[in-house]
Amino acid sequence: MTKVNASRRQFLRYSSALGAAGTIGSASLPFALNLATIGSAAAQTSTGGYKALICLFLYGANDHANTVLATDSTSWTQYTTVRTTNEAGSIALPPVGSSGGVLPITPNTTQAGRSFALHPALGSLKTLFDSGRVAIVSNVGPLIVPTTLQQYKAASVPLPPKLFSHNDQQSLWQAYAPEGAAYGWGGRMGDLLAASNAYPVFTAISASGNAVFLSGRTVNQYQVSASGAVPIGALTGTLFGSTTAGNPLKSIISTDSSNLFQKEHANVTNRSINAQSLLSPAMAPAGGTGVPNPTQYTNPNTGGLANNALASQLQTVARIIAGRSALGAQRQVFFVSLGGFDTHDFQRTAHADLMARLSHAITYFDGVMGSLQGTDMRNQVTMFTASDFGRTFTSNGDGTDHGWGSHHFVIGGAVKGNNIYGDFPVTGLKHTLDVGSGSLLPQISVDQYGATLANWFGLSTSQISDVFPNIANFSNRNLGFLG
Protein backbone atom coordinates (compact mmCIF):
# COMPACT_ATOMS: atom_id res chain seq x y z
CA MET A 1 0.00 0.00 0.00
CA THR A 2 1.26 3.48 -0.84
CA LYS A 3 2.33 5.25 2.32
CA VAL A 4 2.00 8.94 3.13
CA ASN A 5 5.29 10.77 3.58
CA ALA A 6 5.00 12.29 7.04
CA SER A 7 7.11 15.30 6.28
CA ARG A 8 5.74 18.76 6.84
CA ARG A 9 5.82 19.44 3.12
CA GLN A 10 3.75 16.36 2.33
CA PHE A 11 1.33 17.11 5.17
CA LEU A 12 0.74 20.58 3.78
CA ARG A 13 0.21 19.11 0.37
CA TYR A 14 -2.50 16.81 1.60
CA SER A 15 -4.23 19.25 3.91
CA SER A 16 -4.22 22.55 2.06
CA ALA A 17 -4.30 22.22 -1.70
CA LEU A 18 -6.38 24.19 -4.16
CA GLY A 19 -8.65 21.90 -6.17
CA ALA A 20 -11.19 22.04 -8.92
CA ALA A 21 -13.92 23.15 -6.56
CA GLY A 22 -11.85 26.16 -5.54
CA THR A 23 -11.96 25.87 -1.74
CA ILE A 24 -8.96 26.00 0.59
CA GLY A 25 -8.78 24.61 4.14
CA SER A 26 -8.72 21.44 6.21
CA ALA A 27 -12.07 20.39 7.63
CA SER A 28 -13.81 22.40 4.94
CA LEU A 29 -12.13 20.74 1.97
CA PRO A 30 -14.51 19.45 -0.72
CA PHE A 31 -14.23 16.01 -2.24
CA ALA A 32 -11.52 17.01 -4.68
CA LEU A 33 -9.25 18.34 -1.96
CA ASN A 34 -9.74 15.65 0.65
CA LEU A 35 -7.90 12.84 -1.09
CA ALA A 36 -4.81 12.22 0.95
CA THR A 37 -3.61 9.10 -0.81
CA ILE A 38 -5.62 6.90 -3.12
CA GLY A 39 -3.48 3.94 -2.06
CA SER A 40 -3.35 0.56 -3.71
CA ALA A 41 -5.07 -2.78 -3.28
CA ALA A 42 -2.16 -4.35 -1.44
CA ALA A 43 -0.89 -5.28 2.04
CA GLN A 44 -3.87 -4.33 4.18
CA THR A 45 -3.85 -4.68 7.94
CA SER A 46 -6.33 -7.36 9.02
CA THR A 47 -9.14 -6.12 11.26
CA GLY A 48 -11.27 -9.26 11.39
CA GLY A 49 -13.94 -8.42 8.85
CA TYR A 50 -15.83 -5.37 7.64
CA LYS A 51 -17.43 -2.85 10.03
CA ALA A 52 -18.99 0.55 9.48
CA LEU A 53 -20.00 3.34 11.87
CA ILE A 54 -22.57 5.93 10.82
CA CYS A 55 -23.02 9.21 12.67
CA LEU A 56 -26.55 10.55 12.19
CA PHE A 57 -26.39 14.17 13.32
CA LEU A 58 -29.61 15.99 14.22
CA TYR A 59 -28.73 19.62 13.54
CA GLY A 60 -30.38 22.30 15.64
CA ALA A 61 -30.73 20.33 18.91
CA ASN A 62 -33.34 17.61 19.22
CA ASP A 63 -35.95 17.96 21.96
CA HIS A 64 -35.16 14.78 23.88
CA ALA A 65 -38.03 15.28 26.32
CA ASN A 66 -40.60 14.73 23.57
CA THR A 67 -38.53 11.95 21.98
CA VAL A 68 -38.13 9.54 24.91
CA LEU A 69 -40.57 10.12 27.76
CA ALA A 70 -41.09 8.77 31.27
CA THR A 71 -44.76 7.84 31.62
CA ASP A 72 -45.05 6.66 35.24
CA SER A 73 -47.68 8.65 37.12
CA THR A 74 -45.31 11.01 38.92
CA SER A 75 -43.26 11.75 35.81
CA TRP A 76 -46.28 12.20 33.55
CA THR A 77 -47.90 14.62 35.96
CA GLN A 78 -44.75 16.72 35.95
CA TYR A 79 -44.52 16.50 32.17
CA THR A 80 -48.08 17.63 31.48
CA THR A 81 -47.91 20.35 34.13
CA VAL A 82 -44.77 21.94 32.74
CA ARG A 83 -45.30 21.35 29.04
CA THR A 84 -48.99 22.24 28.81
CA THR A 85 -49.53 25.98 28.42
CA ASN A 86 -52.58 28.13 27.88
CA GLU A 87 -51.44 28.86 24.36
CA ALA A 88 -52.68 26.94 21.34
CA GLY A 89 -49.11 25.84 20.72
CA SER A 90 -48.81 23.67 23.85
CA ILE A 91 -46.05 21.11 23.29
CA ALA A 92 -47.22 18.29 25.59
CA LEU A 93 -47.98 15.05 23.74
CA PRO A 94 -51.10 12.92 24.30
CA PRO A 95 -50.76 10.09 26.85
CA VAL A 96 -50.42 6.37 26.16
CA GLY A 97 -53.65 4.88 24.83
CA SER A 98 -55.20 8.11 23.60
CA SER A 99 -55.57 9.07 19.96
CA GLY A 100 -52.10 9.88 18.69
CA GLY A 101 -50.66 9.14 22.10
CA VAL A 102 -47.06 8.33 22.98
CA LEU A 103 -45.93 4.77 22.26
CA PRO A 104 -45.07 2.61 25.31
CA ILE A 105 -41.80 0.69 25.38
CA THR A 106 -40.67 -1.92 27.88
CA PRO A 107 -36.87 -1.96 28.32
CA ASN A 108 -35.23 -5.23 29.33
CA THR A 109 -33.73 -3.57 32.38
CA THR A 110 -36.31 -1.88 34.56
CA GLN A 111 -35.74 1.33 36.46
CA ALA A 112 -37.66 1.25 39.71
CA GLY A 113 -41.03 2.94 39.53
CA ARG A 114 -40.48 4.20 35.99
CA SER A 115 -42.19 3.46 32.68
CA PHE A 116 -41.31 4.86 29.26
CA ALA A 117 -42.60 5.73 25.81
CA LEU A 118 -41.51 7.14 22.47
CA HIS A 119 -42.89 10.01 20.40
CA PRO A 120 -46.05 8.97 18.49
CA ALA A 121 -44.27 9.43 15.13
CA LEU A 122 -41.56 6.89 16.03
CA GLY A 123 -43.74 3.85 15.42
CA SER A 124 -41.37 1.94 13.14
CA LEU A 125 -38.40 2.83 15.36
CA LYS A 126 -40.33 1.39 18.32
CA THR A 127 -40.67 -1.85 16.37
CA LEU A 128 -36.90 -1.97 15.95
CA PHE A 129 -36.45 -1.18 19.65
CA ASP A 130 -38.81 -3.99 20.61
CA SER A 131 -36.92 -6.38 18.31
CA GLY A 132 -33.62 -5.60 20.03
CA ARG A 133 -31.90 -3.61 17.29
CA VAL A 134 -32.24 -0.16 18.90
CA ALA A 135 -30.92 1.00 22.26
CA ILE A 136 -31.48 4.32 24.03
CA VAL A 137 -28.60 6.03 25.81
CA SER A 138 -29.99 8.59 28.22
CA ASN A 139 -28.71 12.03 29.12
CA VAL A 140 -25.54 12.22 27.01
CA GLY A 141 -23.59 15.43 26.50
CA PRO A 142 -20.14 17.01 26.45
CA LEU A 143 -18.31 16.74 29.77
CA ILE A 144 -14.66 17.07 30.70
CA VAL A 145 -14.98 15.34 34.08
CA PRO A 146 -17.97 13.88 35.95
CA THR A 147 -19.85 16.92 37.21
CA THR A 148 -22.47 17.53 39.87
CA LEU A 149 -24.94 20.39 39.90
CA GLN A 150 -23.11 22.01 42.81
CA GLN A 151 -19.80 21.81 40.92
CA TYR A 152 -21.42 23.24 37.81
CA LYS A 153 -22.86 26.21 39.67
CA ALA A 154 -19.58 26.88 41.47
CA ALA A 155 -17.51 26.26 38.32
CA SER A 156 -15.25 24.21 40.58
CA VAL A 157 -14.43 21.65 37.87
CA PRO A 158 -13.49 22.23 34.22
CA LEU A 159 -16.62 22.66 32.10
CA PRO A 160 -17.12 22.34 28.34
CA PRO A 161 -16.60 25.71 26.64
CA LYS A 162 -19.37 27.78 25.09
CA LEU A 163 -22.32 25.72 26.29
CA PHE A 164 -25.73 26.34 24.65
CA SER A 165 -24.15 27.72 21.44
CA HIS A 166 -25.22 25.82 18.31
CA ASN A 167 -22.04 26.00 16.22
CA ASP A 168 -19.73 25.43 19.16
CA GLN A 169 -21.66 22.51 20.61
CA GLN A 170 -22.00 20.86 17.21
CA SER A 171 -18.23 21.04 16.99
CA LEU A 172 -17.77 19.94 20.59
CA TRP A 173 -19.89 16.84 19.96
CA GLN A 174 -17.99 16.02 16.79
CA ALA A 175 -14.48 17.16 17.70
CA TYR A 176 -14.17 17.87 21.47
CA ALA A 177 -13.52 21.57 20.83
CA PRO A 178 -15.61 24.65 19.89
CA GLU A 179 -16.07 25.88 16.34
CA GLY A 180 -12.74 25.91 14.53
CA ALA A 181 -11.66 22.43 15.66
CA ALA A 182 -9.42 20.64 13.19
CA TYR A 183 -9.97 16.95 14.00
CA GLY A 184 -13.11 14.97 14.75
CA TRP A 185 -13.34 11.64 16.53
CA GLY A 186 -14.68 9.91 13.43
CA GLY A 187 -11.66 11.06 11.46
CA ARG A 188 -9.28 10.16 14.27
CA MET A 189 -10.68 6.61 14.35
CA GLY A 190 -10.16 6.57 10.60
CA ASP A 191 -6.53 7.59 11.08
CA LEU A 192 -5.92 4.54 13.24
CA LEU A 193 -7.76 2.02 11.07
CA ALA A 194 -7.21 3.33 7.54
CA ALA A 195 -4.31 0.88 7.05
CA SER A 196 -6.91 -1.89 6.91
CA ASN A 197 -8.36 -0.36 3.74
CA ALA A 198 -6.87 -0.84 0.28
CA TYR A 199 -7.78 2.77 -0.55
CA PRO A 200 -7.55 4.98 2.57
CA VAL A 201 -9.38 7.80 0.78
CA PHE A 202 -12.62 5.86 1.25
CA THR A 203 -12.23 5.52 5.02
CA ALA A 204 -14.26 8.59 6.09
CA ILE A 205 -17.19 9.45 3.84
CA SER A 206 -19.85 12.14 4.19
CA ALA A 207 -23.18 11.98 2.39
CA SER A 208 -24.15 15.30 3.98
CA GLY A 209 -21.52 17.87 3.10
CA ASN A 210 -18.63 18.96 5.25
CA ALA A 211 -18.44 17.69 8.84
CA VAL A 212 -15.50 18.15 11.19
CA PHE A 213 -16.46 14.76 12.69
CA LEU A 214 -14.74 13.04 9.75
CA SER A 215 -11.55 15.12 9.66
CA GLY A 216 -8.48 13.22 10.84
CA ARG A 217 -4.82 14.07 11.02
CA THR A 218 -4.00 11.97 7.97
CA VAL A 219 -7.45 10.87 6.82
CA ASN A 220 -9.70 13.49 5.29
CA GLN A 221 -13.35 13.14 4.50
CA TYR A 222 -14.46 12.18 1.02
CA GLN A 223 -17.77 13.85 0.21
CA VAL A 224 -20.38 12.23 -2.01
CA SER A 225 -23.75 13.37 -3.31
CA ALA A 226 -27.03 11.49 -3.57
CA SER A 227 -25.89 10.20 -6.95
CA GLY A 228 -22.57 8.98 -5.59
CA ALA A 229 -19.04 10.10 -6.43
CA VAL A 230 -18.92 13.74 -7.48
CA PRO A 231 -17.22 14.28 -10.86
CA ILE A 232 -15.20 17.31 -11.87
CA GLY A 233 -17.56 19.32 -14.03
CA ALA A 234 -17.21 19.44 -17.82
CA LEU A 235 -14.68 16.60 -18.12
CA THR A 236 -17.43 14.36 -19.49
CA GLY A 237 -20.44 15.11 -21.63
CA THR A 238 -20.50 18.36 -23.55
CA LEU A 239 -18.61 21.59 -22.95
CA PHE A 240 -19.71 24.67 -24.87
CA GLY A 241 -21.64 22.34 -27.15
CA SER A 242 -18.61 20.15 -27.92
CA THR A 243 -18.30 16.50 -26.95
CA THR A 244 -14.49 16.63 -27.20
CA ALA A 245 -13.71 19.90 -25.42
CA GLY A 246 -13.40 18.05 -22.10
CA ASN A 247 -10.18 16.41 -23.26
CA PRO A 248 -8.08 19.58 -23.59
CA LEU A 249 -9.63 20.87 -20.35
CA LYS A 250 -8.53 17.70 -18.56
CA SER A 251 -5.05 18.11 -20.02
CA ILE A 252 -4.86 21.71 -18.82
CA ILE A 253 -5.89 20.96 -15.23
CA SER A 254 -4.11 17.62 -14.78
CA THR A 255 -0.76 17.97 -16.59
CA ASP A 256 2.39 18.19 -14.49
CA SER A 257 4.13 21.56 -14.31
CA SER A 258 7.31 23.12 -12.93
CA ASN A 259 5.14 25.78 -11.29
CA LEU A 260 4.56 24.48 -7.74
CA PHE A 261 1.03 25.83 -7.53
CA GLN A 262 0.03 24.29 -10.88
CA LYS A 263 1.85 21.09 -10.02
CA GLU A 264 -0.10 20.62 -6.80
CA HIS A 265 -3.37 21.56 -8.50
CA ALA A 266 -2.68 18.82 -11.07
CA ASN A 267 -1.88 16.32 -8.29
CA VAL A 268 -5.17 17.03 -6.53
CA THR A 269 -7.13 16.89 -9.78
CA ASN A 270 -5.64 13.54 -10.73
CA ARG A 271 -6.36 12.12 -7.29
CA SER A 272 -9.95 13.30 -7.64
CA ILE A 273 -10.34 11.73 -11.05
CA ASN A 274 -8.78 8.48 -9.84
CA ALA A 275 -10.99 8.32 -6.75
CA GLN A 276 -14.14 8.86 -8.77
CA SER A 277 -13.06 6.20 -11.25
CA LEU A 278 -12.67 3.73 -8.36
CA LEU A 279 -15.82 4.56 -6.41
CA SER A 280 -18.36 4.97 -9.21
CA PRO A 281 -18.16 1.39 -10.58
CA ALA A 282 -17.82 -0.10 -7.08
CA MET A 283 -21.07 1.39 -5.76
CA ALA A 284 -24.21 -0.67 -6.15
CA PRO A 285 -26.79 0.99 -8.39
CA ALA A 286 -29.80 2.76 -6.91
CA GLY A 287 -32.98 0.73 -7.36
CA GLY A 288 -33.44 -2.24 -9.63
CA THR A 289 -30.94 -4.98 -8.81
CA GLY A 290 -29.01 -2.62 -6.53
CA VAL A 291 -30.04 -0.87 -3.33
CA PRO A 292 -33.81 -0.34 -3.19
CA ASN A 293 -35.03 3.22 -3.48
CA PRO A 294 -36.64 4.51 -0.27
CA THR A 295 -40.38 4.88 -0.22
CA GLN A 296 -41.90 8.24 0.65
CA TYR A 297 -42.69 8.93 4.29
CA THR A 298 -46.03 10.11 5.68
CA ASN A 299 -46.11 13.60 7.16
CA PRO A 300 -48.02 13.11 10.44
CA ASN A 301 -49.42 16.63 10.31
CA THR A 302 -50.95 16.46 6.85
CA GLY A 303 -51.14 12.76 6.09
CA GLY A 304 -49.43 13.50 2.78
CA LEU A 305 -46.51 11.60 1.28
CA ALA A 306 -43.14 13.26 0.72
CA ASN A 307 -39.57 12.37 -0.17
CA ASN A 308 -37.14 11.87 2.71
CA ALA A 309 -33.68 13.34 2.10
CA LEU A 310 -32.23 11.48 5.08
CA ALA A 311 -33.35 8.15 3.62
CA SER A 312 -31.68 9.16 0.34
CA GLN A 313 -28.41 9.87 2.18
CA LEU A 314 -28.60 6.45 3.80
CA GLN A 315 -29.25 4.84 0.43
CA THR A 316 -25.99 6.37 -0.79
CA VAL A 317 -24.20 4.97 2.27
CA ALA A 318 -25.70 1.54 1.59
CA ARG A 319 -24.58 1.66 -2.04
CA ILE A 320 -21.00 2.34 -0.89
CA ILE A 321 -21.14 -0.43 1.73
CA ALA A 322 -22.33 -2.78 -0.99
CA GLY A 323 -19.10 -1.98 -2.87
CA ARG A 324 -16.86 -2.68 0.12
CA SER A 325 -15.18 -5.72 -1.47
CA ALA A 326 -14.42 -3.92 -4.72
CA LEU A 327 -12.92 -1.06 -2.70
CA GLY A 328 -10.98 -3.37 -0.40
CA ALA A 329 -12.62 -1.69 2.62
CA GLN A 330 -12.51 -3.13 6.12
CA ARG A 331 -13.37 -0.08 8.23
CA GLN A 332 -15.48 2.90 7.13
CA VAL A 333 -16.95 5.86 9.01
CA PHE A 334 -19.92 7.70 7.48
CA PHE A 335 -21.76 10.92 8.24
CA VAL A 336 -25.40 11.74 7.45
CA SER A 337 -27.64 14.41 8.91
CA LEU A 338 -31.13 15.79 9.38
CA GLY A 339 -31.67 19.48 10.12
CA GLY A 340 -34.48 21.62 11.48
CA PHE A 341 -34.33 20.73 15.19
CA ASP A 342 -33.99 24.28 16.56
CA THR A 343 -37.64 24.26 17.59
CA HIS A 344 -38.14 27.56 19.38
CA ASP A 345 -41.53 27.86 17.68
CA PHE A 346 -44.24 25.52 16.35
CA GLN A 347 -42.45 22.63 17.99
CA ARG A 348 -45.31 20.18 18.20
CA THR A 349 -45.91 20.06 14.45
CA ALA A 350 -42.30 20.62 13.37
CA HIS A 351 -40.91 18.01 15.73
CA ALA A 352 -43.54 15.45 14.76
CA ASP A 353 -42.51 15.75 11.11
CA LEU A 354 -38.83 15.42 12.03
CA MET A 355 -39.51 12.33 14.14
CA ALA A 356 -41.45 10.76 11.26
CA ARG A 357 -38.56 11.36 8.87
CA LEU A 358 -36.05 10.02 11.39
CA SER A 359 -38.05 6.85 12.04
CA HIS A 360 -38.75 6.25 8.36
CA ALA A 361 -35.10 6.66 7.32
CA ILE A 362 -33.69 4.46 10.08
CA THR A 363 -36.22 1.73 9.39
CA TYR A 364 -35.53 1.88 5.66
CA PHE A 365 -31.79 1.54 6.26
CA ASP A 366 -32.26 -1.35 8.71
CA GLY A 367 -34.27 -3.19 6.08
CA VAL A 368 -31.65 -2.55 3.41
CA MET A 369 -28.83 -3.76 5.69
CA GLY A 370 -30.85 -6.88 6.48
CA SER A 371 -30.54 -8.13 2.91
CA LEU A 372 -27.84 -6.06 1.19
CA GLN A 373 -27.38 -7.91 -2.07
CA GLY A 374 -28.33 -11.15 -0.34
CA THR A 375 -26.21 -10.58 2.79
CA ASP A 376 -27.38 -9.55 6.26
CA MET A 377 -25.02 -6.70 7.15
CA ARG A 378 -26.79 -5.46 10.27
CA ASN A 379 -24.26 -6.98 12.69
CA GLN A 380 -21.46 -5.19 10.86
CA VAL A 381 -23.01 -1.72 10.63
CA THR A 382 -23.86 0.48 13.62
CA MET A 383 -25.59 3.86 13.40
CA PHE A 384 -25.86 6.33 16.26
CA THR A 385 -27.52 9.71 16.72
CA ALA A 386 -25.86 12.92 17.89
CA SER A 387 -27.13 16.49 18.21
CA ASP A 388 -25.99 19.96 19.32
CA PHE A 389 -27.59 19.50 22.74
CA GLY A 390 -30.96 18.76 24.28
CA ARG A 391 -33.56 21.39 24.98
CA THR A 392 -35.18 22.94 28.03
CA PHE A 393 -37.95 21.05 29.76
CA THR A 394 -39.92 24.26 30.11
CA SER A 395 -41.78 25.65 27.12
CA ASN A 396 -41.66 29.18 25.80
CA GLY A 397 -45.27 28.75 24.68
CA ASP A 398 -45.00 26.70 21.52
CA GLY A 399 -41.34 25.71 21.57
CA THR A 400 -38.26 25.11 23.72
CA ASP A 401 -34.86 26.70 24.21
CA HIS A 402 -31.27 25.50 24.22
CA GLY A 403 -30.30 22.80 26.71
CA TRP A 404 -27.40 20.41 27.36
CA GLY A 405 -27.85 16.66 27.97
CA SER A 406 -30.03 14.62 25.60
CA HIS A 407 -31.16 11.05 24.89
CA HIS A 408 -29.78 9.22 21.85
CA PHE A 409 -30.44 6.12 19.74
CA VAL A 410 -27.95 3.43 18.70
CA ILE A 411 -29.12 1.17 15.87
CA GLY A 412 -27.80 -2.10 14.44
CA GLY A 413 -27.60 -5.85 14.74
CA ALA A 414 -24.66 -5.70 17.17
CA VAL A 415 -26.62 -3.41 19.50
CA LYS A 416 -27.85 -4.83 22.80
CA GLY A 417 -31.20 -3.26 22.14
CA ASN A 418 -34.61 -3.07 23.78
CA ASN A 419 -32.93 -1.26 26.64
CA ILE A 420 -32.16 2.16 28.13
CA TYR A 421 -28.55 2.74 29.20
CA GLY A 422 -27.85 5.15 32.01
CA ASP A 423 -30.18 6.25 34.78
CA PHE A 424 -33.10 8.05 33.18
CA PRO A 425 -33.27 11.53 34.74
CA VAL A 426 -36.06 12.75 36.96
CA THR A 427 -38.86 14.39 35.01
CA GLY A 428 -39.59 17.94 36.14
CA LEU A 429 -37.81 21.03 37.37
CA LYS A 430 -35.40 21.97 40.16
CA HIS A 431 -33.97 18.48 40.60
CA THR A 432 -30.31 17.55 41.00
CA LEU A 433 -29.64 17.56 37.24
CA ASP A 434 -31.50 20.78 36.36
CA VAL A 435 -29.03 23.47 35.29
CA GLY A 436 -31.89 25.84 34.50
CA SER A 437 -35.38 25.59 32.99
CA GLY A 438 -35.10 21.80 33.11
CA SER A 439 -32.01 21.66 30.92
CA LEU A 440 -30.18 18.47 31.87
CA LEU A 441 -26.70 18.20 33.31
CA PRO A 442 -25.35 15.17 31.40
CA GLN A 443 -24.53 12.02 33.32
CA ILE A 444 -22.88 10.28 30.35
CA SER A 445 -20.13 12.07 28.44
CA VAL A 446 -19.72 12.12 24.68
CA ASP A 447 -16.32 10.51 25.32
CA GLN A 448 -17.97 7.50 27.03
CA TYR A 449 -20.58 7.25 24.27
CA GLY A 450 -17.92 7.43 21.55
CA ALA A 451 -15.48 5.12 23.34
CA THR A 452 -18.13 2.39 23.49
CA LEU A 453 -18.63 2.70 19.74
CA ALA A 454 -14.86 2.77 19.15
CA ASN A 455 -14.35 -0.40 21.19
CA TRP A 456 -16.82 -2.26 18.95
CA PHE A 457 -15.18 -0.71 15.90
CA GLY A 458 -11.86 -2.32 16.79
CA LEU A 459 -9.79 0.33 18.55
CA SER A 460 -7.52 -0.79 21.36
CA THR A 461 -7.65 0.69 24.85
CA SER A 462 -4.65 2.92 24.13
CA GLN A 463 -6.10 4.03 20.79
CA ILE A 464 -9.39 4.93 22.46
CA SER A 465 -7.47 7.04 24.98
CA ASP A 466 -5.76 8.79 22.07
CA VAL A 467 -9.02 9.51 20.23
CA PHE A 468 -11.04 10.58 23.29
CA PRO A 469 -8.83 12.88 25.37
CA ASN A 470 -11.17 13.08 28.37
CA ILE A 471 -11.97 9.36 28.69
CA ALA A 472 -9.35 8.89 31.41
CA ASN A 473 -11.49 11.09 33.67
CA PHE A 474 -14.38 8.58 33.64
CA SER A 475 -14.36 5.21 35.38
CA ASN A 476 -16.90 3.62 33.03
CA ARG A 477 -15.33 3.58 29.57
CA ASN A 478 -17.70 1.07 28.00
CA LEU A 479 -21.43 1.62 28.46
CA GLY A 480 -22.25 -1.90 27.30
CA PHE A 481 -24.78 -1.15 24.56
CA LEU A 482 -22.76 -3.02 21.90
CA GLY A 483 -21.75 -6.67 21.78
Side-chain angles (χ1 to χ4, degrees):
M1 181 175 65
T2 303
K3 294 183 179 180
V4 177
N5 186 320
S7 72
R8 180 176 183 273
R9 183 174 182 180
Q10 285 293 87
F11 173 77
L12 291 173
R13 276 187 170 186
Y14 294 139
S15 64
S16 59
L18 175 63
T23 302
I24 295 177
S26 176
S28 63
L29 295 176
F31 83 100
L33 309 182
N34 277 334
L35 310 182
T37 55
I38 296 298
S40 62
Q44 300 173 60
T45 301
S46 175
T47 50
Y50 179 85
K51 285 185 178 180
L53 272 178
I54 304 168
C55 176
L56 196 178
F57 206 90
L58 310 178
Y59 278 109
N62 178 43
D63 180 57
H64 62 284
N66 268 14
T67 302
V68 184
L69 306 90
T71 57
D72 51 273
S73 178
T74 300
S75 298
W76 193 257
T77 298
Q78 286 292 315
Y79 170 79
T80 54
T81 299
V82 175
R83 290 211 147 189
T84 301
T85 69
N86 293 325
E87 299 185 28
S90 174
I91 61 170
L93 298 170
V96 172
S98 64
S99 177
V102 295
L103 307 173
I105 55 174
T106 306
N108 288 333
T109 304
T110 60
Q111 299 194 24
R114 310 297 295 275
S115 60
F116 303 98
L118 298 179
H119 189 285
L122 294 176
S124 58
L125 189 67
K126 168 183 157 52
T127 300
L128 294 182
F129 180 89
D130 293 342
S131 69
R133 293 200 297 279
V134 172
I136 296 166
V137 186
S138 67
N139 197 13
V140 186
L143 289 170
I144 297 173
V145 297
T147 303
T148 66
L149 183 62
Q150 184 177 21
Q151 291 170 328
Y152 166 75
K153 289 181 175 179
S156 59
V157 296
L159 297 172
K162 300 184 179 181
L163 290 168
F164 315 110
S165 159
H166 282 296
N167 292 347
D168 294 298
Q169 295 308 301
Q170 289 166 9
S171 181
L172 208 67
W173 253 94
Q174 297 181 33
Y176 358 98
E179 187 175 20
Y183 311 121
W185 50 276
R188 290 290 295 115
M189 287 193 289
D191 289 339
L192 297 169
L193 296 175
S196 66
N197 295 332
Y199 303 102
V201 68
F202 303 124
T203 300
I205 301 177
S206 174
S208 183
N210 174 65
V212 69
F213 173 75
L214 291 179
S215 293
R217 292 174 182 161
T218 57
V219 166
N220 293 300
Q221 61 186 293
Y222 184 85
Q223 296 180 33
V224 296
S225 70
S227 58
V230 182
I232 296 177
L235 293 190
T236 59
T238 60
L239 176 61
F240 302 119
S242 169
T243 58
T244 61
N247 295 327
L249 174 62
K250 180 178 179 180
S251 177
I252 291 169
I253 65 177
S254 63
T255 299
D256 197 12
S257 170
S258 59
N259 180 286
L260 293 179
F261 186 87
Q262 291 176 337
K263 185 180 187 71
E264 189 54 33
H265 184 275
N267 289 339
V268 172
T269 299
N270 283 316
R271 289 198 297 269
S272 302
I273 294 170
N274 291 338
Q276 186 205 352
S277 69
L278 288 167
L279 182 59
S280 292
M283 291 178 65
T289 59
V291 175
N293 293 319
T295 61
Q296 293 183 308
Y297 83 102
T298 301
N299 185 318
N301 301 312
T302 65
L305 295 173
N307 294 331
N308 188 347
L310 176 58
S312 296
Q313 292 175 45
L314 289 170
Q315 182 188 33
T316 301
V317 171
R319 293 173 59 204
I320 296 172
I321 292 174
R324 64 198 178 280
S325 296
L327 294 173
Q330 292 287 307
R331 290 292 184 273
Q332 291 183 295
V333 188
F334 294 92
F335 185 88
V336 297
S337 70
L338 178 62
F341 285 89
D342 196 17
T343 49
H344 290 280
D345 301 293
F346 310 110
Q347 177 171 302
R348 187 158 172 179
T349 53
H351 194 244
D353 183 49
L354 291 166
M355 291 291 98
R357 284 191 265 171
L358 180 69
S359 185
H360 170 266
I362 289 174
T363 305
Y364 159 75
F365 187 73
D366 175 81
V368 168
M369 288 296 104
S371 58
L372 187 65
Q373 296 188 325
T375 302
D376 188 342
M377 293 294 295
R378 287 180 293 202
N379 286 342
Q380 295 160 266
V381 180
T382 297
M383 179 160 50
F384 61 96
T385 63
S387 192
D388 318 17
F389 34 70
R391 304 193 74 82
T392 57
F393 191 65
T394 57
S395 170
N396 61 18
D398 64 349
T400 50
D401 296 312
H402 299 176
W404 190 354
S406 185
H407 313 316
H408 288 283
F409 297 112
V410 186
I411 307 101
V415 174
K416 296 179 181 178
N418 195 28
N419 220 345
I420 296 176
Y421 292 83
D423 292 331
F424 202 85
V426 172
T427 301
L429 300 173
K430 298 183 179 180
H431 51 74
T432 57
L433 298 178
D434 181 3
V435 299
S437 300
S439 175
L440 292 176
L441 172 66
Q443 292 298 283
I444 293 175
S445 72
V446 174
D447 293 73
Q448 292 171 288
Y449 186 56
T452 306
L453 294 161
N455 180 73
W456 171 83
F457 203 45
L459 271 68
S460 67
T461 300
S462 61
Q463 288 174 327
I464 289 172
S465 296
D466 183 40
V467 172
F468 299 96
N470 298 318
I471 194 63
N473 301 328
F474 299 89
S475 59
N476 186 1
R477 302 183 186 187
N478 190 327
L479 302 175
F481 55 74
L482 280 166

